[in-house]
Amino acid sequence: MTDAMSTSSGSDPQKSGSAPVEERPEPSSVLGCLPTDAGVRPQLAAAARSRGRSASVAAEIDEIEAELAAIEIDPVDLTEARRRVAETTGEIARLKERVAALRGDAQARRAVDAEAGETIDDLEAAAAELSAAQTEAIAAEQALERARTEAARNRDERRRRLRLRDRLRNRRRTARRELAEAVYPAFRRALAVVPGGDPSAAGEEPGAYDGDPVAASLAAVRIAAIDGAVELRGDAARAVAASERSARSLLRTAAVRVVDPSAESEASGER
């Protein structure tokens, strides 16, 4: 997944006006260690994804992510291009003055029949330098114009990227909502089994849940199919340890690692 400057590439998220969209987390990264900072809806969405469910907007999300990944914005240094134009312009002005001065000197020498050979040689050399400088100035102007065109394209691409990121966030919210709602009946039933769970606290939809957050996480794990071990710490470990059922039976997962709350407290005290 995935997801340039008057003087920079715009790859800095702060300069582009928006932080990058975070990658969609794997279910195990959301539910693999409890307690978790994730809210009820993201946890339930992760549980649904772990069971192979997908939202109606899944294909659109994939398309947006692919479009974002294809956007490339290369650095465009307008400062250097402008500096080169300024330098060549200054060099042309200097050489024009020198050519004018040498031409005047040569004319003055001819007017009095003085030797003008060396002055003519200097004039020809200065004229050649002026011609080269004018050619370089044209190239510098063209390079600046190309840089301006590329910088404008980059601005358009950054705007397009921002629009795509906004769309992606919106579609991901839609997906989380759909997935969470799809497994909410199973979640409500799981609340009747896990320690501290109360089905009456579930309400009609995920946003209405006002029960124990640890119980919600335990219920989410119970209805999920998590790859790897689920680690329980703190309140989650204490809640499961106080239950009459084993952690594996409660969570319906093959591997559970319960970190002894008392050992955690002792380790914290030692530090």
Side-chain angles (χ1 to χ4, degrees):
M1 289 185 302
T2 348
D3 179 53
M5 58 187 197
S6 64
T7 56
S8 78
S9 69
S11 58
D12 184 336
Q14 299 305 319
K15 290 181 180 179
S16 68
S18 176
V21 176
E22 293 182 0
E23 294 186 0
R24 180 175 54 196
E26 292 297 322
S28 58
S29 69
V30 179
L31 297 172
C33 183
L34 303 184
T36 174
D37 291 334
V40 172
R41 185 174 281 119
Q43 291 181 67
L44 295 181
R49 287 199 307 274
S50 76
R51 290 287 181 182
R53 286 181 175 269
S54 60
S56 64
V57 292
E60 185 178 358
I61 287 174
D62 290 342
E63 290 174 2
I64 296 172
E65 288 175 344
E67 196 170 349
L68 274 170
I71 294 177
E72 295 183 0
I73 300 179
D74 296 323
V76 176
D77 194 346
L78 286 176
T79 299
E80 175 59 24
R82 288 174 179 137
R83 183 193 63 77
R84 187 181 171 204
V85 168
E87 286 181 351
T88 56
T89 300
E91 182 67 0
I92 287 172
R94 183 186 70 80
L95 288 170
K96 281 183 176 179
E97 289 180 1
R98 177 165 172 73
V99 166
L102 288 169
R103 184 176 291 117
D105 187 23
Q107 290 173 347
R109 287 176 176 276
R110 288 194 186 109
V112 296
D113 294 325
E115 176 60 41
E118 185 176 346
T119 302
I120 296 297
D121 289 342
D122 289 344
L123 174 60
E124 291 175 349
E129 286 185 55
L130 175 59
S131 177
Q134 289 170 330
T135 300
E136 186 177 351
I138 292 171
E141 288 285 358
Q142 291 173 340
L144 176 58
E145 186 58 32
R146 287 194 299 271
R148 285 171 172 160
T149 300
E150 183 66 13
R153 188 196 72 83
N154 286 349
R155 285 193 295 272
D156 291 341
E157 286 296 273
R158 285 197 297 272
R159 293 188 188 103
R160 184 166 72 93
R161 185 171 58 188
L162 289 174
R163 290 193 297 270
L164 287 170
R165 284 173 174 171
D166 287 341
R167 280 181 58 201
L168 182 57
R169 290 188 185 95
N170 291 334
R171 298 306 180 270
R172 285 181 176 175
R173 279 195 293 268
T174 298
R176 284 194 296 270
R177 184 175 62 252
E178 287 184 5
L179 292 171
E181 290 173 353
V183 298
Y184 209 57
F187 170 73
R188 189 181 291 108
R189 291 191 296 272
L191 286 173
V193 179
V194 299
D198 179 6
S200 67
E204 295 302 318
E205 51 88 25
Y209 181 78
D210 64 353
D212 179 16
V214 171
S217 295
L218 295 173
V221 171
R222 181 177 171 83
I223 65 173
I226 301 299
D227 293 331
V230 175
E231 184 175 285
L232 304 179
R233 293 179 173 272
D235 290 343
R238 282 187 283 273
V240 171
S243 173
E244 297 179 355
R245 298 175 61 174
S246 69
R248 289 174 61 181
S249 174
L250 281 170
L251 301 182
R252 287 182 175 175
T253 187
V256 182
R257 178 172 178 260
V258 181
V259 178
D260 183 359
S262 60
E264 266 196 327
S265 299
E266 289 175 6
S268 177
E270 289 174 1
R271 289 195 295 271

